[in-house]
Amino acid sequence: MPKISEQLADLSAHAKHAEDAVSAAQKEARDKVMERREQARAAATATIEKVDQNIKAAGDGVKSVGDAAAQKWAALQTKIAGDLQSVKSGIAQKKHDFDARRAENYADSLEWQASLAIDYAIASIEQAELAVLDAVAGRIEAREARAS
């Protein structure tokens, strides 16, 4: 497992990539935006699979923490699967009945969903920060207990 500082640097790089992709997408043609979206979907799926494998690889060594993490991960996977399904459903409806007003409402809805996803990511980062600080404090307490 990579060091926490490496994971935080990776998180920062992913956030910057997302920011750059959105900024570029706002200036691009429809086909390019659709291509970007498919690339982002593939990257999200790969990341989900990677984290899932990491949770499974952790095994029973941290059973109680692992159970809690697995439960949170399962909830996040369910949310992501639901989000992907709602996007797919929205696309199907868009193809079926595409008029300017519905398209505008659909875009508003997608922007709202994106905003919620960003808020959720920020909350996740805050939770990750707390978890990292808990881990650091736990390591310090373990050293102190060993020394006394």
Side-chain angles (χ1 to χ4, degrees), residues 79 82-83 86-91 93-94 100-118:
K79 180 198 177 306
D83 289 347
S86 72
V87 169
K88 289 177 185 176
S89 297
I91 290 169
Q93 181 170 346
K94 181 177 144 190
R101 183 171 176 209
R102 287 196 102 156
E104 191 66 35
N105 289 342
Y106 182 66
D108 290 345
S109 174
L110 290 176
E111 287 174 351
W112 179 78
Q113 289 176 22
S115 177
L116 285 178
I118 291 167

Side-chain angles (χ1 to χ4, degrees), residues 28-29 41 54 63-64 83 102 105 115 118 143:
E28 293 174 338
R41 181 175 286 125
N54 288 345
K63 185 69 173 162
S64 63
D83 289 347
R102 287 196 102 156
N105 289 342
S115 177
I118 291 167
R143 279 191 289 236

